[in-house]
Amino acid sequence: MKNIPPLVVSSWKRSQQYGLEKQKSVHDFLSNKDLLERKGEMKELLEVVTSVLDHLHFQLKQFDVMVAFNDSEGYLLGTWGNPSFVDLFEKSGDFSLGAKWTEEIKGTNAIALSLQEKKPVTIIGKQHFCKEYHILSCSATPLFSPTGELLGTLDIGANVNSHHDYLLPMLTMAAHACQSKLLLETTERELVLQLQETELMVKTNLKPIISIDHDGVIKRMNQYAAQILQQPISECIGQPLERWLGNQMVEKLLTARRGSDIELKWADPVHGERRWIAEPILDQQRKPFRVVLSLEKTTVDRKIEPPPKKEWIQSKGLIIKCSKVQKIYRFALQVAKTNASILICGETGTGKGILAKEMHLASGRKGPFLTINCGAIPSQLIESELFGYERGAFTGAKSNGHPGKFEAAEGGTLFLDEIGEMSLAAQVALLKVLEEKVITRIGSHKPIPIDVRIIAATNKDLSKEITAGRFRQDLYYRLREIEIVLPPLRERTDLPFLIQHFREQISEELKVDFSFDADAQRILTRYHWPGNIREMRQVIRQAAFHALFGRDATLIIAEDLQLSKQPQTQVLSMTEMEEETITQMLEETKGNLAEAARRLGIGRTTLYRKLSQYPRLKELHRQLRQN
C-alpha cells in the first residue's frame, strides 16, 4: 500500500501492542440488560441522533451503506440501513447493537480513531488492521455536546468498492445538525430550570440562600449567605459547599428528590446551630440540576448585619477582583487625600498610570491631571518641559516663552512616568522644586510658587540605579514619601475577570459577541504576561480581529492568539494540564479523593469521572491507596 496516513500507521502499531491478530478479530458486547440501561441513560441524545440520521439514511437509501451511532466508549447503539455486507458479519455480530468498536478490541477502524483523535476519519479497505474488515470502507466523525464533551461518533459503513469521498462531509454536516439540536434543547431545558431556581430564590430573598449544582458546587448565593460563610460572594461562587458543610451532608443534599425537601442542621458562625431547608430542582432525568438551601424562616431571630458594600473595585471601567490589588487601591485612594509625594513601582503595563489618575480623582484637587513621560523626552529638553522657559532662553525657543508642566498643573497633579529615565541634571532641579515648592523658568530669575501634587512611577529598581550612580538617593527618598508597588499580572488572582472584561470591550467596539474556546481561555489564563495588562488588552483585541476578519468567526481559538515569543513555561494542552493538576493533588493528598476534590474546587463525583477518563490517574490512585 502506498501513501498510508501516519494516523493509520500509528494505529497499526498500537493494535499490535494490544496483542491483536490480523487474521482474527476480538469481540466484546454489552449484555442485553446493560444495553437497555445505557440506551435509557442516553434517551434524549438518541432521540436527537435518530431525528438527524433518519434523514441522512433517507438521502442515502439508494446506496448500499449503513449509518450508525457509537457512544463515547465505542459501543454501537443505533444503526440505519441493512446493506449486503452486514450478512457477512452475521455470525460474529460485529454490527449488532452493543458491539464495541474500540481500537483495543477491533484494531484500526474509523470509529476508534475518530473517538481517539476527536476528528473526522475515513479508513478504507486494507487500512483496517484486521483482515476480515478489509472489505469495508468506513467513515466516522465525532459528536460533541454544546459544552464540548465527546458524546460518541456518527458513522457510515459501505463495501470498499462502494466508497465515495462525499460521504464523510455529509456525515460531518449531520454531526453539526445534531449538536445544534442538542444546544437548542439544552438551552430550553436550562432556561426552564433556571426560571424555577430564580423563582425559588425570589421567594426567599430576605433569607440567607445558596444554590448548588449536581456536583455540590456553589452557583448562586446572596450577600446574607456570604456573610454566614465569612467570604465575599466572588470567592464562594465555584467552590464546593463541602468546604463549609462537610462531605456527608452535601451527599445527602444531592440525593434529594422533588417533593421531599431536606432539613439539615448547620452550625454557622452567625446563628450557631440552625435548621436549613434544601429544595431540589430536578432535570428531565430526575437528577438534581440545582439544590437551593435557605435558612428556615422561623429560626432567623437575630438581625443579620447589612452585607458588605463591595467585593470589587472599579477603576477606569476595569473591575478589580484580586484581593491583593484591591487592598493596594484602597490604601492608595486613602493616602491620595494627603499632600505626600507618591512613588508607584511595577513592571511595564501593570496600570501605574491608571492608579495615578484614580489617586488624582480621589485627592479632591481642583486642578488638572497632567502626565509627562520622562523617558520619551530628550534629556536636554526635560527641564524646559517641566519648568518652562522665557523668550530667547535658547535657540528655537518660542518668542513669547512657554509655561512648563508644573505651572500648567497648578492646583492639580503632575504624573512623572518613567522617572528612572530622568537625567541627573533634571533630577537636581526636580529635587529643588519638591523641597522649595517654587519653580524658575529657564532664562528667568523670577521664582514662581506652585501647588502641585507629584506622583512618580517607574519600572526600574531605583535602589540599584542609585548604586550604579544613575539616580540621586536624596530625590529617591523625597519622591518615596509613600511607595506603592503594583504586582505583575501573573501574580494576580482575577485574570479570568480581566480576560472577560477585554473580550466584552472589543465585542462592544465591533458590535460582535466574541467568545473563547476552552483552549484559548486556558492559554490566556496560564500565559506569563510579561507586558501585563497592556499586553493582555492588545492580545485579546488582536485575536478578535484575527477571528472576525481572518476566519469570519466570533469564536476566538488558540491559533488567533499572538503571544510573546519570550521564553516561558511550556503551555500544556487543556487535557494535559487537567491530568497534571489532578496528579499533583492526588499525590499531595495521598489518594484521599474527598480532600483532593476539595482542594481542586470540584465535587467528588466529578473527580471520579476524571479518574475514569484518565487511566493513568486511576492507576495512580490505586497505588496510593495501597501504600
mmCIF file of all heavy atoms in Angstrom, residues 182-221:
data_model
loop_
_atom_site.group_PDB
_atom_site.id
_atom_site.type_symbol
_atom_site.label_atom_id
_atom_site.label_comp_id
_atom_site.label_asym_id
_atom_site.label_seq_id
_atom_site.Cartn_x
_atom_site.Cartn_y
_atom_site.Cartn_z
ATOM 1 N N LEU A 182 -29.040 19.659 19.936
ATOM 2 C CA LEU A 182 -28.737 19.467 21.363
ATOM 3 C C LEU A 182 -28.627 20.814 22.077
ATOM 4 O O LEU A 182 -29.098 20.976 23.207
ATOM 5 C CB LEU A 182 -27.432 18.689 21.526
ATOM 6 C CG LEU A 182 -27.489 17.194 21.191
ATOM 7 C CD1 LEU A 182 -26.071 16.620 21.150
ATOM 8 C CD2 LEU A 182 -28.317 16.447 22.219
ATOM 9 N N LEU A 183 -27.995 21.779 21.413
ATOM 10 C CA LEU A 183 -27.838 23.103 22.013
ATOM 11 C C LEU A 183 -29.199 23.749 22.254
ATOM 12 O O LEU A 183 -29.458 24.307 23.326
ATOM 13 C CB LEU A 183 -26.985 23.987 21.106
ATOM 14 C CG LEU A 183 -26.792 25.430 21.551
ATOM 15 C CD1 LEU A 183 -26.122 25.494 22.913
ATOM 16 C CD2 LEU A 183 -25.987 26.209 20.530
ATOM 17 N N LEU A 184 -30.081 23.663 21.263
ATOM 18 C CA LEU A 184 -31.403 24.261 21.413
ATOM 19 C C LEU A 184 -32.178 23.608 22.549
ATOM 20 O O LEU A 184 -32.809 24.279 23.366
ATOM 21 C CB LEU A 184 -32.183 24.132 20.092
ATOM 22 C CG LEU A 184 -31.714 25.052 18.955
ATOM 23 C CD1 LEU A 184 -32.423 24.695 17.658
ATOM 24 C CD2 LEU A 184 -31.969 26.509 19.303
ATOM 25 N N GLU A 185 -32.139 22.267 22.579
ATOM 26 C CA GLU A 185 -32.886 21.558 23.609
ATOM 27 C C GLU A 185 -32.295 21.805 24.993
ATOM 28 O O GLU A 185 -33.022 21.994 25.973
ATOM 29 C CB GLU A 185 -32.926 20.056 23.298
ATOM 30 C CG GLU A 185 -33.750 19.735 22.056
ATOM 31 C CD GLU A 185 -34.047 18.251 21.937
ATOM 32 O OE1 GLU A 185 -33.706 17.492 22.866
ATOM 33 O OE2 GLU A 185 -34.622 17.860 20.907
ATOM 34 N N THR A 186 -30.949 21.799 25.077
ATOM 35 C CA THR A 186 -30.293 22.047 26.364
ATOM 36 C C THR A 186 -30.605 23.451 26.864
ATOM 37 O O THR A 186 -30.898 23.661 28.041
ATOM 38 C CB THR A 186 -28.766 21.876 26.226
ATOM 39 O OG1 THR A 186 -28.488 20.542 25.784
ATOM 40 C CG2 THR A 186 -28.071 22.111 27.554
ATOM 41 N N THR A 187 -30.528 24.432 25.943
ATOM 42 C CA THR A 187 -30.810 25.818 26.315
ATOM 43 C C THR A 187 -32.242 25.961 26.815
ATOM 44 O O THR A 187 -32.507 26.629 27.821
ATOM 45 C CB THR A 187 -30.582 26.746 25.105
ATOM 46 O OG1 THR A 187 -29.233 26.598 24.657
ATOM 47 C CG2 THR A 187 -30.828 28.195 25.484
ATOM 48 N N GLU A 188 -33.168 25.313 26.113
ATOM 49 C CA GLU A 188 -34.572 25.399 26.509
ATOM 50 C C GLU A 188 -34.785 24.779 27.892
ATOM 51 O O GLU A 188 -35.455 25.351 28.756
ATOM 52 C CB GLU A 188 -35.443 24.677 25.470
ATOM 53 C CG GLU A 188 -36.933 24.766 25.759
ATOM 54 C CD GLU A 188 -37.760 24.046 24.707
ATOM 55 O OE1 GLU A 188 -37.204 23.681 23.647
ATOM 56 O OE2 GLU A 188 -38.957 23.856 24.941
ATOM 57 N N ARG A 189 -34.177 23.594 28.119
ATOM 58 C CA ARG A 189 -34.337 22.920 29.414
ATOM 59 C C ARG A 189 -33.709 23.742 30.534
ATOM 60 O O ARG A 189 -34.291 23.918 31.602
ATOM 61 C CB ARG A 189 -33.687 21.528 29.376
ATOM 62 C CG ARG A 189 -34.479 20.496 28.612
ATOM 63 C CD ARG A 189 -34.001 19.098 28.965
ATOM 64 N NE ARG A 189 -32.582 18.925 28.765
ATOM 65 C CZ ARG A 189 -32.030 18.541 27.615
ATOM 66 N NH1 ARG A 189 -32.774 18.301 26.564
ATOM 67 N NH2 ARG A 189 -30.723 18.405 27.513
ATOM 68 N N GLU A 190 -32.484 24.251 30.284
ATOM 69 C CA GLU A 190 -31.798 25.006 31.325
ATOM 70 C C GLU A 190 -32.526 26.312 31.633
ATOM 71 O O GLU A 190 -32.553 26.758 32.781
ATOM 72 C CB GLU A 190 -30.356 25.288 30.904
ATOM 73 C CG GLU A 190 -29.479 24.045 30.939
ATOM 74 C CD GLU A 190 -28.004 24.379 30.820
ATOM 75 O OE1 GLU A 190 -27.680 25.571 30.639
ATOM 76 O OE2 GLU A 190 -27.189 23.448 30.921
ATOM 77 N N LEU A 191 -33.147 26.916 30.593
ATOM 78 C CA LEU A 191 -33.897 28.140 30.833
ATOM 79 C C LEU A 191 -35.064 27.872 31.774
ATOM 80 O O LEU A 191 -35.305 28.624 32.720
ATOM 81 C CB LEU A 191 -34.403 28.704 29.508
ATOM 82 C CG LEU A 191 -35.228 29.994 29.601
ATOM 83 C CD1 LEU A 191 -34.425 31.101 30.256
ATOM 84 C CD2 LEU A 191 -35.706 30.421 28.226
ATOM 85 N N VAL A 192 -35.782 26.772 31.540
ATOM 86 C CA VAL A 192 -36.906 26.415 32.405
ATOM 87 C C VAL A 192 -36.425 26.179 33.830
ATOM 88 O O VAL A 192 -37.006 26.668 34.806
ATOM 89 C CB VAL A 192 -37.630 25.164 31.865
ATOM 90 C CG1 VAL A 192 -38.666 24.665 32.879
ATOM 91 C CG2 VAL A 192 -38.308 25.462 30.539
ATOM 92 N N LEU A 193 -35.309 25.422 33.954
ATOM 93 C CA LEU A 193 -34.784 25.111 35.280
ATOM 94 C C LEU A 193 -34.263 26.364 35.984
ATOM 95 O O LEU A 193 -34.449 26.535 37.193
ATOM 96 C CB LEU A 193 -33.664 24.068 35.162
ATOM 97 C CG LEU A 193 -34.115 22.675 34.692
ATOM 98 C CD1 LEU A 193 -32.911 21.822 34.347
ATOM 99 C CD2 LEU A 193 -34.966 21.983 35.743
ATOM 100 N N GLN A 194 -33.616 27.252 35.226
ATOM 101 C CA GLN A 194 -33.104 28.476 35.838
ATOM 102 C C GLN A 194 -34.238 29.398 36.275
ATOM 103 O O GLN A 194 -34.129 30.098 37.284
ATOM 104 C CB GLN A 194 -32.184 29.198 34.852
ATOM 105 C CG GLN A 194 -30.824 28.513 34.722
ATOM 106 C CD GLN A 194 -29.983 29.082 33.611
ATOM 107 O OE1 GLN A 194 -30.421 29.960 32.877
ATOM 108 N NE2 GLN A 194 -28.760 28.584 33.458
ATOM 109 N N LEU A 195 -35.338 29.379 35.505
ATOM 110 C CA LEU A 195 -36.501 30.163 35.922
ATOM 111 C C LEU A 195 -37.065 29.619 37.233
ATOM 112 O O LEU A 195 -37.474 30.376 38.116
ATOM 113 C CB LEU A 195 -37.576 30.131 34.821
ATOM 114 C CG LEU A 195 -37.276 30.989 33.583
ATOM 115 C CD1 LEU A 195 -38.322 30.731 32.509
ATOM 116 C CD2 LEU A 195 -37.236 32.468 33.943
ATOM 117 N N GLN A 196 -37.086 28.291 37.359
ATOM 118 C CA GLN A 196 -37.537 27.687 38.618
ATOM 119 C C GLN A 196 -36.608 28.083 39.761
ATOM 120 O O GLN A 196 -37.049 28.411 40.869
ATOM 121 C CB GLN A 196 -37.587 26.157 38.484
ATOM 122 C CG GLN A 196 -38.635 25.649 37.519
ATOM 123 C CD GLN A 196 -38.588 24.139 37.391
ATOM 124 O OE1 GLN A 196 -38.061 23.448 38.256
ATOM 125 N NE2 GLN A 196 -39.120 23.626 36.304
ATOM 126 N N GLU A 197 -35.300 28.048 39.485
ATOM 127 C CA GLU A 197 -34.317 28.420 40.501
ATOM 128 C C GLU A 197 -34.505 29.877 40.923
ATOM 129 O O GLU A 197 -34.513 30.204 42.117
ATOM 130 C CB GLU A 197 -32.903 28.216 39.949
ATOM 131 C CG GLU A 197 -31.801 28.620 40.910
ATOM 132 C CD GLU A 197 -30.435 28.623 40.240
ATOM 133 O OE1 GLU A 197 -30.378 28.624 39.000
ATOM 134 O OE2 GLU A 197 -29.445 28.644 40.973
ATOM 135 N N THR A 198 -34.677 30.757 39.917
ATOM 136 C CA THR A 198 -34.857 32.179 40.210
ATOM 137 C C THR A 198 -36.125 32.420 41.022
ATOM 138 O O THR A 198 -36.131 33.186 41.977
ATOM 139 C CB THR A 198 -34.914 32.978 38.893
ATOM 140 O OG1 THR A 198 -33.707 32.760 38.168
ATOM 141 C CG2 THR A 198 -35.088 34.468 39.164
ATOM 142 N N GLU A 199 -37.222 31.727 40.622
ATOM 143 C CA GLU A 199 -38.487 31.883 41.338
ATOM 144 C C GLU A 199 -38.331 31.480 42.802
ATOM 145 O O GLU A 199 -38.804 32.152 43.717
ATOM 146 C CB GLU A 199 -39.565 31.023 40.668
ATOM 147 C CG GLU A 199 -40.930 31.147 41.325
ATOM 148 C CD GLU A 199 -41.957 30.247 40.658
ATOM 149 O OE1 GLU A 199 -41.606 29.528 39.703
ATOM 150 O OE2 GLU A 199 -43.108 30.257 41.101
ATOM 151 N N LEU A 200 -37.615 30.377 43.026
ATOM 152 C CA LEU A 200 -37.415 29.892 44.388
ATOM 153 C C LEU A 200 -36.551 30.872 45.184
ATOM 154 O O LEU A 200 -36.811 31.127 46.366
ATOM 155 C CB LEU A 200 -36.752 28.508 44.334
ATOM 156 C CG LEU A 200 -36.628 27.739 45.649
ATOM 157 C CD1 LEU A 200 -37.973 27.608 46.346
ATOM 158 C CD2 LEU A 200 -36.042 26.365 45.376
ATOM 159 N N MET A 201 -35.530 31.452 44.536
ATOM 160 C CA MET A 201 -34.648 32.381 45.242
ATOM 161 C C MET A 201 -35.362 33.707 45.544
ATOM 162 O O MET A 201 -35.108 34.336 46.568
ATOM 163 C CB MET A 201 -33.381 32.630 44.421
ATOM 164 C CG MET A 201 -32.505 31.392 44.284
ATOM 165 S SD MET A 201 -30.904 31.707 43.538
ATOM 166 C CE MET A 201 -30.013 32.407 44.913
ATOM 167 N N VAL A 202 -36.258 34.123 44.639
ATOM 168 C CA VAL A 202 -37.008 35.359 44.881
ATOM 169 C C VAL A 202 -37.919 35.205 46.097
ATOM 170 O O VAL A 202 -38.084 36.111 46.912
ATOM 171 C CB VAL A 202 -37.832 35.736 43.629
ATOM 172 C CG1 VAL A 202 -38.859 36.812 43.966
ATOM 173 C CG2 VAL A 202 -36.906 36.226 42.528
ATOM 174 N N LYS A 203 -38.510 34.010 46.226
ATOM 175 C CA LYS A 203 -39.409 33.761 47.355
ATOM 176 C C LYS A 203 -38.685 33.905 48.693
ATOM 177 O O LYS A 203 -39.290 34.209 49.705
ATOM 178 C CB LYS A 203 -40.003 32.347 47.263
ATOM 179 C CG LYS A 203 -41.048 32.181 46.170
ATOM 180 C CD LYS A 203 -41.533 30.733 46.147
ATOM 181 C CE LYS A 203 -42.528 30.501 45.029
ATOM 182 N NZ LYS A 203 -42.945 29.079 44.949
ATOM 183 N N THR A 204 -37.392 33.656 48.689
ATOM 184 C CA THR A 204 -36.648 33.648 49.954
ATOM 185 C C THR A 204 -35.581 34.743 49.969
ATOM 186 O O THR A 204 -34.543 34.588 50.589
ATOM 187 C CB THR A 204 -35.968 32.275 50.144
ATOM 188 O OG1 THR A 204 -35.183 31.991 48.979
ATOM 189 C CG2 THR A 204 -36.982 31.173 50.323
ATOM 190 N N ASN A 205 -35.878 35.861 49.280
ATOM 191 C CA ASN A 205 -34.825 36.862 49.103
ATOM 192 C C ASN A 205 -34.419 37.581 50.378
ATOM 193 O O ASN A 205 -33.434 38.280 50.403
ATOM 194 C CB ASN A 205 -35.241 37.883 48.033
ATOM 195 C CG ASN A 205 -36.405 38.752 48.505
ATOM 196 O OD1 ASN A 205 -37.182 38.349 49.364
ATOM 197 N ND2 ASN A 205 -36.527 39.931 47.928
ATOM 198 N N LEU A 206 -35.164 37.442 51.461
ATOM 199 C CA LEU A 206 -34.788 38.091 52.711
ATOM 200 C C LEU A 206 -34.055 37.151 53.643
ATOM 201 O O LEU A 206 -33.764 37.491 54.773
ATOM 202 C CB LEU A 206 -36.041 38.651 53.399
ATOM 203 C CG LEU A 206 -36.765 39.767 52.625
ATOM 204 C CD1 LEU A 206 -37.994 40.209 53.371
ATOM 205 C CD2 LEU A 206 -35.838 40.932 52.339
ATOM 206 N N LYS A 207 -33.791 35.943 53.155
ATOM 207 C CA LYS A 207 -33.101 34.951 53.973
ATOM 208 C C LYS A 207 -31.760 34.601 53.324
ATOM 209 O O LYS A 207 -31.595 34.754 52.119
ATOM 210 C CB LYS A 207 -33.947 33.668 54.075
ATOM 211 C CG LYS A 207 -35.301 33.875 54.746
ATOM 212 C CD LYS A 207 -36.013 32.546 54.949
ATOM 213 C CE LYS A 207 -36.464 31.946 53.647
ATOM 214 N NZ LYS A 207 -37.242 30.707 53.871
ATOM 215 N N PRO A 208 -30.813 34.112 54.124
ATOM 216 C CA PRO A 208 -29.592 33.584 53.515
ATOM 217 C C PRO A 208 -29.952 32.426 52.586
ATOM 218 O O PRO A 208 -30.716 31.533 52.964
ATOM 219 C CB PRO A 208 -28.785 33.091 54.719
ATOM 220 C CG PRO A 208 -29.327 33.855 55.870
ATOM 221 C CD PRO A 208 -30.783 34.056 55.588
ATOM 222 N N ILE A 209 -29.410 32.436 51.365
ATOM 223 C CA ILE A 209 -29.782 31.417 50.389
ATOM 224 C C ILE A 209 -28.585 31.061 49.521
ATOM 225 O O ILE A 209 -27.790 31.924 49.130
ATOM 226 C CB ILE A 209 -30.970 31.909 49.535
ATOM 227 C CG1 ILE A 209 -31.480 30.796 48.628
ATOM 228 C CG2 ILE A 209 -30.633 33.135 48.741
ATOM 229 C CD1 ILE A 209 -32.836 31.094 48.050
ATOM 230 N N ILE A 210 -28.442 29.764 49.249
ATOM 231 C CA ILE A 210 -27.323 29.239 48.456
ATOM 232 C C ILE A 210 -27.888 28.238 47.460
ATOM 233 O O ILE A 210 -28.711 27.393 47.812
ATOM 234 C CB ILE A 210 -26.280 28.528 49.344
ATOM 235 C CG1 ILE A 210 -25.737 29.487 50.405
ATOM 236 C CG2 ILE A 210 -25.144 27.956 48.505
ATOM 237 C CD1 ILE A 210 -24.889 28.799 51.465
ATOM 238 N N SER A 211 -27.419 28.309 46.206
ATOM 239 C CA SER A 211 -27.825 27.349 45.185
ATOM 240 C C SER A 211 -26.595 26.592 44.712
ATOM 241 O O SER A 211 -25.583 27.195 44.346
ATOM 242 C CB SER A 211 -28.484 28.068 44.000
ATOM 243 O OG SER A 211 -28.840 27.142 42.988
ATOM 244 N N ILE A 212 -26.668 25.237 44.738
ATOM 245 C CA ILE A 212 -25.531 24.410 44.317
ATOM 246 C C ILE A 212 -25.947 23.546 43.125
ATOM 247 O O ILE A 212 -27.129 23.260 42.934
ATOM 248 C CB ILE A 212 -25.017 23.502 45.462
ATOM 249 C CG1 ILE A 212 -26.123 22.545 45.950
ATOM 250 C CG2 ILE A 212 -24.493 24.342 46.608
ATOM 251 C CD1 ILE A 212 -25.653 21.534 46.978
ATOM 252 N N ASP A 213 -24.958 23.130 42.319
ATOM 253 C CA ASP A 213 -25.263 22.279 41.171
ATOM 254 C C ASP A 213 -25.148 20.801 41.534
ATOM 255 O O ASP A 213 -25.013 20.455 42.714
ATOM 256 C CB ASP A 213 -24.363 22.632 39.979
ATOM 257 C CG ASP A 213 -22.897 22.299 40.225
ATOM 258 O OD1 ASP A 213 -22.586 21.658 41.262
ATOM 259 O OD2 ASP A 213 -22.051 22.677 39.398
ATOM 260 N N HIS A 214 -25.181 19.937 40.516
ATOM 261 C CA HIS A 214 -25.209 18.487 40.756
ATOM 262 C C HIS A 214 -23.907 17.957 41.342
ATOM 263 O O HIS A 214 -23.855 16.821 41.802
ATOM 264 C CB HIS A 214 -25.529 17.740 39.453
ATOM 265 C CG HIS A 214 -24.528 17.978 38.363
ATOM 266 N ND1 HIS A 214 -24.563 19.099 37.557
ATOM 267 C CD2 HIS A 214 -23.448 17.264 37.958
ATOM 268 C CE1 HIS A 214 -23.558 19.046 36.707
ATOM 269 N NE2 HIS A 214 -22.861 17.952 36.930
ATOM 270 N N ASP A 215 -22.844 18.764 41.315
ATOM 271 C CA ASP A 215 -21.582 18.350 41.927
ATOM 272 C C ASP A 215 -21.385 18.974 43.312
ATOM 273 O O ASP A 215 -20.329 18.808 43.928
ATOM 274 C CB ASP A 215 -20.398 18.748 41.035
ATOM 275 C CG ASP A 215 -20.248 17.827 39.835
ATOM 276 O OD1 ASP A 215 -20.513 16.622 39.989
ATOM 277 O OD2 ASP A 215 -19.884 18.306 38.756
ATOM 278 N N GLY A 216 -22.385 19.715 43.772
ATOM 279 C CA GLY A 216 -22.257 20.357 45.081
ATOM 280 C C GLY A 216 -21.473 21.651 45.032
ATOM 281 O O GLY A 216 -21.028 22.154 46.069
ATOM 282 N N VAL A 217 -21.287 22.211 43.837
ATOM 283 C CA VAL A 217 -20.536 23.453 43.673
ATOM 284 C C VAL A 217 -21.506 24.635 43.749
ATOM 285 O O VAL A 217 -22.575 24.616 43.142
ATOM 286 C CB VAL A 217 -19.792 23.466 42.327
ATOM 287 C CG1 VAL A 217 -19.131 24.822 42.080
ATOM 288 C CG2 VAL A 217 -18.739 22.364 42.302
ATOM 289 N N ILE A 218 -21.123 25.678 44.479
ATOM 290 C CA ILE A 218 -21.973 26.855 44.641
ATOM 291 C C ILE A 218 -22.062 27.625 43.321
ATOM 292 O O ILE A 218 -21.050 28.007 42.747
ATOM 293 C CB ILE A 218 -21.420 27.787 45.750
ATOM 294 C CG1 ILE A 218 -21.385 27.044 47.093
ATOM 295 C CG2 ILE A 218 -22.268 29.054 45.863
ATOM 296 C CD1 ILE A 218 -20.687 27.826 48.195
ATOM 297 N N LYS A 219 -23.301 27.827 42.842
ATOM 298 C CA LYS A 219 -23.527 28.549 41.591
ATOM 299 C C LYS A 219 -24.084 29.951 41.824
ATOM 300 O O LYS A 219 -23.799 30.861 41.069
ATOM 301 C CB LYS A 219 -24.489 27.766 40.681
ATOM 302 C CG LYS A 219 -24.061 26.334 40.404
ATOM 303 C CD LYS A 219 -22.677 26.250 39.800
ATOM 304 C CE LYS A 219 -22.637 26.696 38.357
ATOM 305 N NZ LYS A 219 -21.309 26.466 37.739
ATOM 306 N N ARG A 220 -24.952 30.090 42.852
ATOM 307 C CA ARG A 220 -25.515 31.400 43.173
ATOM 308 C C ARG A 220 -25.655 31.514 44.690
ATOM 309 O O ARG A 220 -25.793 30.502 45.383
ATOM 310 C CB ARG A 220 -26.906 31.592 42.543
ATOM 311 C CG ARG A 220 -26.948 31.636 41.039
ATOM 312 C CD ARG A 220 -28.330 32.104 40.609
ATOM 313 N NE ARG A 220 -28.575 31.901 39.204
ATOM 314 C CZ ARG A 220 -29.660 32.308 38.568
ATOM 315 N NH1 ARG A 220 -30.606 32.942 39.239
ATOM 316 N NH2 ARG A 220 -29.825 32.097 37.288
ATOM 317 N N MET A 221 -25.678 32.734 45.171
ATOM 318 C CA MET A 221 -25.936 32.970 46.587
ATOM 319 C C MET A 221 -26.197 34.457 46.775
ATOM 320 O O MET A 221 -25.929 35.261 45.883
ATOM 321 C CB MET A 221 -24.745 32.519 47.436
ATOM 322 C CG MET A 221 -23.460 33.289 47.171
ATOM 323 S SD MET A 221 -22.006 32.580 47.959
ATOM 324 C CE MET A 221 -22.480 32.607 49.668
#
